[in-house]
Amino acid sequence: MSLLAPPLSLYVHMPWCVKKCPYCDFNSHGVRSEPPPYDAYTDLLLADLDADLVDFGAAVQGRPIISVFFGGGTPSLFAPELIERFLDGARARLPFVDDCEITLETNPGTVEHGRFDGYLAAGVNRISFGVQSFDDDKLRRLGRIHSAVEAEAAVKSAQDAGYTNINLDLMYALPQQLLDGALADVERAIALQPTHVSHYQLTLEPNTAFAANPPPLPDDDHAWAMQEACEQRLAAAGYGQYEISAYAQPGRRCVHNLNYWRFGDYLGIGAGAHGKWSDVGDGQVHRRWKTRLPRAYMEARGGPARIGGDSLVSAAELPFEYMLNALRLVDGVPLADFSERTGLPPGRIAAMLAAARKRGWLREGPHQLHTTPLGQRFLNDVIASFLD
């Protein structure tokens, strides 16, 4: 089988936030006494993009961008004119599809009133709010800088500015949380009428403050009960689950994240950003990541020192890498996509598929990769079964 070039997205990392949350393992850095160099960083993002386009050559040049995602950190610390400057520069270098989804992650505690008008004018057409909870006690335990009232006000402000595509991030299985509390968070989210809800379990990640001093969390059975109950409530409100932690109104699934889960390609720009691209010419899947520390990234000024590493995804690794993403999708993916995105023949995973079906993890059927409810519950075990 030959490798086909999948859709291409653009991820842009903004590494600064007001305060590092104790559960966060992202490449984020709290703002200290002096404000970060937002203006200079924006220009260096474009220099980074220029250098990647030269390095990757025909593998990416001229391919249309289907989505852009500004992640962090807290991208809403960057003024709208800086977001516009980057987007204008990116469009001058790469074609954007007409309906390109452009998402900006936003902390409800950092957005100034009126800024949403500016982001909309800059070209951002989707806002993602890191709400996490509508319980002020839980927000304090999570180290968040906003209150529930501020979160609701921020969402309504974005809606008043004209945003019709809004995601709310919610967590469950929070410290000492009960089922009623998890459901109450979902109810308050639904009342705001977002188009999309990301609902995921709080986990203790290595090298975080919570990992060093774990808070009292619900056990696995209670966490599973919260997930099931919240899933049912979201479904009743018209939010269809299409991925383990993603729920959307009809026609509002996240284009950017779907491209990740379908093993699409993405350029990673900014400190600590990761990218993945398929080179049809050499038949290989490549990865690149950028150096993590903002100061080191900026000192590289778009030069080779900005690169944290490059790697080829080996044929032995590709089945696991593909399933790590694709099996998160509730509806699964066509089996033919495996070969198109990896360049490997279907026979490469035939024995693995047979073993997973025998365990009841995958549905029967020769044309679709699709987990059963049991497979969804034990997804980590399912994915691990595709390790070579």
Side-chain angles (χ1 to χ4, degrees), residues 191-272:
L192 291 169
Q193 298 183 311
T195 49
H196 191 283
V197 176
S198 297
H199 185 254
Y200 51 98
Q201 182 177 349
L202 172 63
T203 55
L204 302 183
E205 302 294 342
N207 303 315
T208 63
F210 270 5
N213 295 287
L217 300 180
D219 61 29
D220 289 344
D221 287 339
H222 284 91
W224 180 251
M226 290 178 193
Q227 179 180 330
E228 285 193 313
C230 292
E231 183 181 308
Q232 292 168 7
R233 180 65 191 97
L234 286 163
Y239 295 88
Q241 184 183 24
Y242 67 100
E243 186 267 347
I244 289 292
S245 58
Y247 304 77
Q249 293 177 346
R252 293 298 193 172
R253 295 181 176 186
C254 179
V255 173
H256 190 85
N257 285 342
L258 276 172
N259 196 40
Y260 287 152
W261 297 323
R262 290 170 176 162
F263 211 54
D265 285 351
Y266 47 96
L267 300 174
I269 304 301

Coordinates of all heavy atoms in Angstrom, one line a residue, residues 191-272:
A191 N -26.9 24.9 30.2 CA -27.7 26.1 30.2 C -27.1 27.3 29.4 O -27.8 28.2 29.0 CB -27.9 26.5 31.7
L192 N -25.8 27.2 29.2 CA -25.1 28.3 28.4 C -25.2 28.0 26.9 O -24.8 28.9 26.1 CB -23.7 28.4 28.9 CG -23.4 28.9 30.3 CD1 -22.0 28.7 30.7 CD2 -23.8 30.4 30.3
Q193 N -25.7 26.8 26.5 CA -25.9 26.5 25.1 C -24.7 26.6 24.3 O -24.7 27.2 23.2 CB -27.0 27.3 24.5 CG -28.4 27.1 25.2 CD -29.5 27.9 24.6 OE1 -29.4 29.1 24.3 NE2 -30.6 27.2 24.3
P194 N -23.6 26.0 24.7 CA -22.4 25.9 23.8 C -22.7 24.9 22.7 O -23.6 24.1 22.8 CB -21.3 25.4 24.8 CG -22.0 24.5 25.7 CD -23.3 25.2 26.0
T195 N -21.9 25.0 21.7 CA -22.1 24.0 20.6 C -21.3 22.7 20.8 O -21.6 21.7 20.1 CB -21.6 24.6 19.2 OG1 -20.3 25.2 19.4 CG2 -22.6 25.7 18.8
H196 N -20.4 22.8 21.7 CA -19.5 21.6 21.9 C -19.1 21.6 23.4 O -18.9 22.6 24.1 CB -18.2 21.8 21.1 CG -17.3 20.6 21.0 ND1 -16.5 20.2 22.0 CD2 -17.1 19.7 20.0 CE1 -15.8 19.2 21.6 NE2 -16.2 18.8 20.4
V197 N -19.0 20.4 24.0 CA -18.5 20.2 25.3 C -17.4 19.1 25.3 O -17.6 18.0 24.8 CB -19.6 19.7 26.3 CG1 -19.1 19.5 27.7 CG2 -20.7 20.8 26.3
S198 N -16.3 19.5 25.9 CA -15.2 18.5 26.2 C -15.3 18.1 27.6 O -15.1 19.0 28.5 CB -13.8 19.1 25.8 OG -13.7 19.4 24.5
H199 N -15.5 16.8 27.9 CA -15.8 16.4 29.3 C -14.9 15.3 29.6 O -15.0 14.2 29.0 CB -17.3 15.9 29.3 CG -17.7 15.5 30.7 ND1 -17.9 14.2 31.1 CD2 -18.1 16.3 31.8 CE1 -18.3 14.2 32.3 NE2 -18.4 15.4 32.8
Y200 N -13.9 15.5 30.4 CA -12.8 14.5 30.6 C -12.5 14.4 32.1 O -12.7 15.3 32.9 CB -11.6 14.8 29.8 CG -11.1 16.3 30.0 CD1 -10.0 16.5 30.8 CD2 -11.6 17.3 29.2 CE1 -9.5 17.8 31.0 CE2 -11.1 18.6 29.3 CZ -10.1 18.8 30.2 OH -9.6 20.1 30.3
Q201 N -11.9 13.2 32.4 CA -11.6 12.9 33.8 C -10.3 13.5 34.3 O -9.3 13.5 33.5 CB -11.6 11.4 34.0 CG -11.3 10.9 35.4 CD -11.3 9.4 35.5 OE1 -11.7 8.7 34.6 NE2 -10.8 8.9 36.6
L202 N -10.3 14.1 35.5 CA -9.1 14.5 36.1 C -8.2 13.4 36.3 O -8.6 12.4 37.0 CB -9.4 15.3 37.3 CG -8.2 15.7 38.2 CD1 -7.3 16.7 37.4 CD2 -8.6 16.3 39.5
T203 N -7.0 13.4 35.8 CA -6.0 12.4 36.1 C -4.7 13.0 36.7 O -4.4 14.2 36.4 CB -5.6 11.6 34.8 OG1 -5.2 12.5 33.8 CG2 -6.8 10.8 34.3
L204 N -4.0 12.2 37.4 CA -2.7 12.7 38.0 C -1.6 12.4 37.1 O -1.2 11.3 36.8 CB -2.5 12.0 39.4 CG -3.6 12.1 40.4 CD1 -3.2 11.4 41.7 CD2 -3.9 13.6 40.7
E205 N -1.1 13.5 36.5 CA 0.0 13.4 35.5 C 1.3 13.5 36.2 O 1.5 14.3 37.1 CB -0.2 14.4 34.4 CG -1.5 14.4 33.6 CD -1.7 13.1 32.8 OE1 -0.7 12.4 32.6 OE2 -2.8 12.8 32.4
P206 N 2.4 12.8 35.7 CA 3.7 12.9 36.3 C 4.2 14.4 36.2 O 3.8 15.1 35.3 CB 4.6 12.0 35.4 CG 3.6 11.0 34.8 CD 2.3 11.8 34.6
N207 N 5.0 14.7 37.2 CA 5.7 16.0 37.2 C 4.7 17.2 37.4 O 5.0 18.3 36.9 CB 6.6 16.2 35.9 CG 7.6 15.1 35.7 OD1 8.3 14.7 36.7 ND2 7.7 14.6 34.5
T208 N 3.6 16.9 38.0 CA 2.7 18.0 38.4 C 2.6 18.1 39.9 O 3.0 17.2 40.6 CB 1.3 17.7 37.8 OG1 0.7 16.5 38.4 CG2 1.3 17.6 36.3
A209 N 2.1 19.2 40.4 CA 1.9 19.4 41.8 C 1.0 18.3 42.4 O 1.2 17.8 43.5 CB 1.4 20.8 42.1
F210 N -0.1 18.0 41.6 CA -1.0 17.0 42.1 C -0.4 15.6 42.2 O -0.7 14.8 43.1 CB -2.3 16.9 41.2 CG -3.4 17.9 41.6 CD1 -3.2 18.8 42.7 CD2 -4.6 17.9 40.9 CE1 -4.2 19.6 43.1 CE2 -5.6 18.7 41.3 CZ -5.4 19.6 42.4
A211 N 0.5 15.3 41.3 CA 1.2 14.0 41.4 C 2.1 13.9 42.6 O 2.2 12.9 43.2 CB 2.0 13.8 40.1
A212 N 2.7 15.0 43.0 CA 3.6 15.1 44.1 C 2.8 15.0 45.4 O 3.2 14.4 46.4 CB 4.5 16.3 44.1
N213 N 1.6 15.7 45.4 CA 0.7 15.7 46.6 C -0.7 15.4 46.2 O -1.5 16.3 46.0 CB 0.8 17.0 47.3 CG 2.2 17.3 47.9 OD1 2.6 16.7 48.9 ND2 2.9 18.2 47.2
P214 N -1.0 14.1 46.0 CA -2.3 13.8 45.4 C -3.5 14.2 46.2 O -3.5 14.0 47.5 CB -2.3 12.3 45.3 CG -0.8 11.9 45.3 CD -0.2 12.9 46.2
P215 N -4.5 14.9 45.6 CA -5.7 15.2 46.4 C -6.6 13.9 46.5 O -6.4 13.0 45.8 CB -6.4 16.3 45.5 CG -5.9 15.9 44.1 CD -4.5 15.3 44.3
P216 N -7.6 14.0 47.3 CA -8.5 12.8 47.4 C -9.5 12.8 46.2 O -10.4 13.6 46.1 CB -9.3 13.1 48.8 CG -9.2 14.6 48.9 CD -7.9 15.0 48.3
L217 N -9.3 11.8 45.4 CA -10.1 11.7 44.2 C -11.1 10.5 44.3 O -10.8 9.5 45.0 CB -9.2 11.5 42.9 CG -8.2 12.6 42.6 CD1 -7.4 12.2 41.4 CD2 -8.9 13.9 42.4
P218 N -12.2 10.6 43.6 CA -13.1 9.4 43.5 C -12.4 8.2 42.9 O -11.5 8.3 42.1 CB -14.3 9.9 42.6 CG -14.2 11.4 42.6 CD -12.7 11.7 42.8
D219 N -12.8 7.0 43.4 CA -12.2 5.8 42.8 C -12.7 5.5 41.4 O -13.6 6.3 40.9 CB -12.5 4.6 43.8 CG -13.9 4.3 44.0 OD1 -14.7 4.5 43.0 OD2 -14.3 3.7 45.0
D220 N -12.2 4.5 40.8 CA -12.5 4.3 39.4 C -14.0 4.0 39.2 O -14.6 4.4 38.2 CB -11.7 3.1 38.9 CG -10.2 3.4 38.7 OD1 -9.9 4.6 38.7 OD2 -9.4 2.5 38.6
D221 N -14.6 3.3 40.1 CA -16.1 2.9 39.9 C -16.9 4.2 40.0 O -17.9 4.4 39.2 CB -16.5 1.9 41.0 CG -16.0 0.5 40.7 OD1 -15.6 0.3 39.6 OD2 -15.9 -0.3 41.7
H222 N -16.6 5.1 40.9 CA -17.4 6.3 41.0 C -17.1 7.2 39.8 O -18.0 7.9 39.3 CB -17.0 7.1 42.3 CG -17.6 6.5 43.6 ND1 -17.0 5.5 44.3 CD2 -18.8 6.7 44.2 CE1 -17.8 5.1 45.3 NE2 -18.9 5.8 45.2
A223 N -15.9 7.2 39.4 CA -15.5 8.0 38.2 C -16.3 7.5 37.0 O -16.8 8.3 36.2 CB -14.0 8.0 37.9
W224 N -16.4 6.2 36.8 CA -17.1 5.6 35.7 C -18.6 6.0 35.8 O -19.3 6.3 34.8 CB -16.9 4.1 35.7 CG -17.6 3.5 34.5 CD1 -18.7 2.6 34.6 CD2 -17.3 3.5 33.1 NE1 -19.1 2.2 33.4 CE2 -18.3 2.8 32.4 CE3 -16.3 4.2 32.4 CZ2 -18.3 2.6 31.0 CZ3 -16.3 4.1 31.0 CH2 -17.3 3.3 30.4
A225 N -19.2 5.9 37.0 CA -20.6 6.3 37.2 C -20.8 7.8 36.8 O -21.8 8.1 36.2 CB -21.0 6.1 38.6
M226 N -19.9 8.6 37.1 CA -20.0 10.0 36.7 C -20.0 10.2 35.2 O -20.8 10.9 34.6 CB -18.9 10.9 37.3 CG -18.9 11.0 38.8 SD -17.5 12.0 39.4 CE -17.6 11.7 41.2
Q227 N -19.0 9.5 34.5 CA -18.9 9.5 33.1 C -20.2 9.1 32.4 O -20.7 9.8 31.5 CB -17.8 8.7 32.6 CG -17.6 8.7 31.1 CD -16.5 7.9 30.6 OE1 -15.5 7.7 31.3 NE2 -16.6 7.4 29.4
E228 N -20.8 8.0 32.9 CA -22.0 7.4 32.3 C -23.2 8.4 32.5 O -23.9 8.6 31.5 CB -22.3 6.1 32.8 CG -21.4 4.9 32.3 CD -22.0 3.6 32.7 OE1 -22.3 3.4 33.8 OE2 -22.0 2.7 31.8
A229 N -23.3 8.9 33.7 CA -24.5 9.7 34.0 C -24.4 11.1 33.2 O -25.4 11.5 32.6 CB -24.6 10.0 35.5
C230 N -23.2 11.6 33.1 CA -23.0 12.9 32.4 C -23.2 12.7 30.9 O -23.7 13.5 30.2 CB -21.7 13.5 32.7 SG -21.5 14.1 34.4
E231 N -22.7 11.6 30.4 CA -22.9 11.2 29.0 C -24.3 11.1 28.6 O -24.8 11.7 27.6 CB -22.2 9.9 28.8 CG -22.2 9.3 27.4 CD -21.5 8.0 27.3 OE1 -20.3 7.9 27.8 OE2 -22.1 7.0 26.8
Q232 N -25.1 10.5 29.5 CA -26.6 10.4 29.2 C -27.3 11.8 29.3 O -28.1 12.1 28.4 CB -27.2 9.5 30.3 CG -26.8 8.0 30.1 CD -27.2 7.1 31.3 OE1 -27.9 7.6 32.2 NE2 -26.7 5.9 31.3
R233 N -26.9 12.6 30.2 CA -27.5 13.9 30.3 C -27.1 14.8 29.1 O -28.0 15.5 28.6 CB -27.0 14.7 31.6 CG -27.6 16.0 31.8 CD -29.1 16.0 31.9 NE -29.8 17.3 31.9 CZ -30.3 17.8 30.8 NH1 -30.3 17.1 29.6 NH2 -30.9 19.0 30.8
L234 N -25.9 14.7 28.6 CA -25.5 15.5 27.5 C -26.2 15.0 26.2 O -26.6 15.8 25.4 CB -24.0 15.4 27.3 CG -23.1 16.2 28.2 CD1 -21.7 15.7 28.2 CD2 -23.2 17.7 27.9
A235 N -26.4 13.7 26.1 CA -27.1 13.1 25.0 C -28.5 13.6 25.0 O -29.1 14.0 23.9 CB -27.0 11.6 25.0
A236 N -29.2 13.6 26.1 CA -30.6 14.1 26.2 C -30.7 15.6 25.8 O -31.8 16.0 25.4 CB -31.1 13.9 27.7
A237 N -29.6 16.3 26.0 CA -29.6 17.7 25.7 C -29.2 18.0 24.2 O -29.1 19.2 23.8 CB -28.7 18.5 26.6
G238 N -29.0 16.9 23.5 CA -28.6 17.1 22.1 C -27.2 17.1 21.7 O -26.8 17.4 20.6
Y239 N -26.3 16.7 22.7 CA -24.9 16.7 22.4 C -24.5 15.2 22.2 O -24.4 14.4 23.1 CB -24.1 17.3 23.6 CG -24.4 18.7 23.8 CD1 -25.4 19.2 24.6 CD2 -23.6 19.7 23.3 CE1 -25.7 20.5 24.8 CE2 -23.8 21.0 23.4 CZ -24.9 21.4 24.2 OH -25.1 22.8 24.4
G240 N -24.2 14.9 21.0 CA -23.8 13.5 20.6 C -22.3 13.3 20.9 O -21.5 14.1 20.6
Q241 N -22.1 12.2 21.6 CA -20.7 11.8 21.8 C -20.0 11.2 20.6 O -20.6 10.3 20.0 CB -20.6 10.8 23.0 CG -19.2 10.4 23.4 CD -19.1 9.3 24.4 OE1 -20.0 8.5 24.5 NE2 -18.0 9.3 25.2
Y242 N -18.9 11.8 20.2 CA -18.2 11.3 19.0 C -16.8 10.8 19.2 O -16.2 10.2 18.4 CB -18.3 12.3 17.8 CG -17.5 13.6 18.1 CD1 -16.2 13.7 17.5 CD2 -18.0 14.6 18.8 CE1 -15.5 14.9 17.7 CE2 -17.3 15.8 19.0 CZ -16.1 15.9 18.4 OH -15.3 17.1 18.6
E243 N -16.4 11.1 20.5 CA -15.0 10.7 20.9 C -15.1 10.5 22.4 O -16.1 11.0 23.0 CB -14.0 11.8 20.5 CG -12.5 11.4 20.8 CD -12.1 11.9 22.1 OE1 -12.7 12.8 22.7 OE2 -11.0 11.5 22.5
I244 N -14.2 9.8 23.0 CA -14.2 9.5 24.4 C -14.6 10.7 25.3 O -15.4 10.5 26.2 CB -12.9 8.9 24.9 CG1 -12.6 7.6 24.3 CG2 -12.8 8.9 26.4 CD1 -13.5 6.5 24.8
S245 N -14.1 11.8 25.0 CA -14.4 13.0 25.9 C -15.0 14.2 25.1 O -15.0 15.3 25.6 CB -13.0 13.5 26.5 OG -12.1 13.8 25.5
A246 N -15.5 14.0 23.9 CA -16.0 15.1 23.1 C -17.5 14.9 22.8 O -17.9 13.8 22.3 CB -15.2 15.2 21.9
Y247 N -18.3 15.9 22.9 CA -19.7 15.9 22.7 C -20.1 17.2 21.9 O -19.6 18.3 22.2 CB -20.5 15.9 24.0 CG -20.1 14.8 24.9 CD1 -18.9 14.8 25.7 CD2 -20.9 13.7 25.0 CE1 -18.6 13.8 26.5 CE2 -20.6 12.6 25.9 CZ -19.4 12.7 26.6 OH -19.1 11.6 27.5
A248 N -20.9 17.0 20.9 CA -21.2 18.2 20.0 C -22.6 18.2 19.6 O -23.3 17.1 19.4 CB -20.3 18.2 18.8
Q249 N -23.2 19.4 19.3 CA -24.4 19.5 18.6 C -24.2 19.1 17.2 O -23.1 19.1 16.7 CB -24.9 20.9 18.7 CG -25.3 21.4 20.1 CD -25.7 22.8 20.2 OE1 -25.5 23.6 19.3 NE2 -26.3 23.2 21.3
P250 N -25.3 18.7 16.5 CA -25.2 18.3 15.1 C -24.4 19.3 14.2 O -24.7 20.5 14.3 CB -26.6 18.2 14.6 CG -27.4 17.8 15.8 CD -26.7 18.6 16.9
G251 N -23.4 18.8 13.5 CA -22.6 19.7 12.6 C -21.6 20.5 13.3 O -20.9 21.3 12.7
R252 N -21.3 20.3 14.6 CA -20.4 21.1 15.4 C -19.2 20.3 15.9 O -18.6 20.8 16.9 CB -21.1 21.8 16.5 CG -22.1 22.8 16.0 CD -21.4 24.0 15.2 NE -22.3 25.1 15.0 CZ -22.0 26.3 14.5 NH1 -20.7 26.4 14.1 NH2 -22.8 27.2 14.3
R253 N -18.9 19.2 15.4 CA -17.7 18.4 15.8 C -16.5 19.3 15.5 O -16.4 20.0 14.6 CB -17.6 17.1 15.1 CG -18.8 16.2 15.5 CD -18.7 14.8 14.8 NE -19.8 13.9 15.3 CZ -19.8 12.6 14.9 NH1 -18.9 12.1 14.1 NH2 -20.8 11.9 15.4
C254 N -15.5 19.1 16.4 CA -14.2 19.9 16.3 C -13.4 19.3 15.1 O -12.9 18.2 15.2 CB -13.4 19.8 17.6 SG -11.9 20.7 17.5
V255 N -13.3 20.1 14.1 CA -12.5 19.7 12.9 C -11.0 19.5 13.2 O -10.4 18.5 12.8 CB -12.6 20.8 11.8 CG1 -11.7 20.5 10.6 CG2 -14.0 21.0 11.3
H256 N -10.5 20.3 14.0 CA -9.0 20.2 14.4 C -8.8 18.9 15.1 O -7.9 18.1 14.8 CB -8.6 21.4 15.2 CG -7.1 21.4 15.4 ND1 -6.3 22.0 14.5 CD2 -6.3 21.0 16.4 CE1 -5.0 21.9 14.9 NE2 -5.0 21.3 16.1
N257 N -9.5 18.6 16.2 CA -9.3 17.4 16.9 C -9.6 16.1 16.1 O -9.0 15.1 16.3 CB -10.1 17.4 18.2 CG -9.5 18.4 19.3 OD1 -8.3 18.8 19.1 ND2 -10.3 18.8 20.2
L258 N -10.7 16.2 15.3 CA -11.0 15.1 14.4 C -9.8 14.7 13.5 O -9.5 13.6 13.3 CB -12.2 15.4 13.6 CG -13.6 15.1 14.2 CD1 -14.7 15.6 13.3 CD2 -13.7 13.6 14.5
N259 N -9.1 15.8 13.1 CA -7.9 15.5 12.2 C -6.8 14.8 13.0 O -6.1 13.9 12.5 CB -7.4 16.8 11.7 CG -6.4 16.6 10.5 OD1 -6.6 15.7 9.7 ND2 -5.3 17.3 10.4
Y260 N -6.6 15.1 14.3 CA -5.7 14.4 15.2 C -6.1 12.9 15.2 O -5.3 12.0 15.1 CB -5.7 14.9 16.6 CG -5.0 16.3 16.8 CD1 -5.4 17.1 17.8 CD2 -3.9 16.7 16.0 CE1 -4.7 18.3 18.0 CE2 -3.3 17.9 16.2 CZ -3.7 18.7 17.2 OH -3.0 19.9 17.4
W261 N -7.4 12.7 15.6 CA -7.9 11.4 15.9 C -7.9 10.5 14.6 O -7.9 9.3 14.7 CB -9.3 11.5 16.5 CG -9.2 12.2 17.9 CD1 -8.3 12.1 18.8 CD2 -10.2 13.1 18.4 NE1 -8.6 12.9 19.9 CE2 -9.7 13.5 19.7 CE3 -11.4 13.5 17.9 CZ2 -10.5 14.3 20.5 CZ3 -12.1 14.4 18.7 CH2 -11.7 14.8 20.0
R262 N -8.0 11.1 13.5 CA -8.0 10.3 12.2 C -6.6 10.2 11.6 O -6.4 9.8 10.5 CB -8.9 11.0 11.2 CG -10.4 10.8 11.6 CD -11.3 11.7 10.7 NE -12.7 11.5 11.0 CZ -13.7 12.3 10.7 NH1 -13.4 13.4 10.0 NH2 -15.0 12.0 11.0
F263 N -5.6 10.5 12.5 CA -4.2 10.4 12.1 C -3.9 11.3 10.9 O -3.1 11.0 10.0 CB -3.8 9.0 11.8 CG -2.4 8.6 12.1 CD1 -1.9 8.8 13.4 CD2 -1.6 8.0 11.2 CE1 -0.6 8.5 13.7 CE2 -0.3 7.7 11.5 CZ 0.2 7.9 12.7
G264 N -4.4 12.5 10.9 CA -4.1 13.5 9.9 C -2.8 14.2 10.2 O -2.1 13.9 11.2
D265 N -2.4 15.1 9.4 CA -1.1 15.8 9.5 C -1.4 17.2 10.2 O -2.4 17.8 10.0 CB -0.5 16.0 8.2 CG 0.2 14.8 7.6 OD1 0.2 13.8 8.3 OD2 0.6 14.8 6.4
Y266 N -0.3 17.7 10.9 CA -0.4 19.0 11.5 C 1.0 19.6 11.7 O 1.9 18.9 12.1 CB -1.2 18.9 12.9 CG -0.7 17.8 13.8 CD1 0.2 18.1 14.8 CD2 -1.2 16.5 13.7 CE1 0.6 17.1 15.7 CE2 -0.8 15.5 14.5 CZ 0.1 15.8 15.5 OH 0.5 14.8 16.3
L267 N 1.1 20.8 11.4 CA 2.3 21.6 11.7 C 2.2 22.1 13.1 O 1.2 22.6 13.5 CB 2.5 22.7 10.7 CG 2.6 22.4 9.2 CD1 2.5 23.7 8.4 CD2 3.8 21.6 9.0
G268 N 3.3 21.9 13.9 CA 3.4 22.4 15.3 C 4.3 23.6 15.4 O 5.5 23.4 15.2
I269 N 3.8 24.8 15.6 CA 4.5 26.0 15.7 C 4.5 26.6 17.1 O 3.4 26.6 17.8 CB 3.9 27.0 14.7 CG1 3.8 26.5 13.3 CG2 4.7 28.3 14.7 CD1 5.2 26.0 12.7
G270 N 5.6 27.0 17.6 CA 5.7 27.6 19.0 C 6.5 26.7 19.9 O 6.8 25.5 19.7
A271 N 6.8 27.3 21.1 CA 7.6 26.6 22.1 C 6.9 25.3 22.5 O 5.8 25.3 23.0 CB 7.8 27.5 23.3
G272 N 7.6 24.2 22.4 CA 7.1 22.9 22.8 C 6.1 22.2 21.9 O 5.6 21.1 22.2

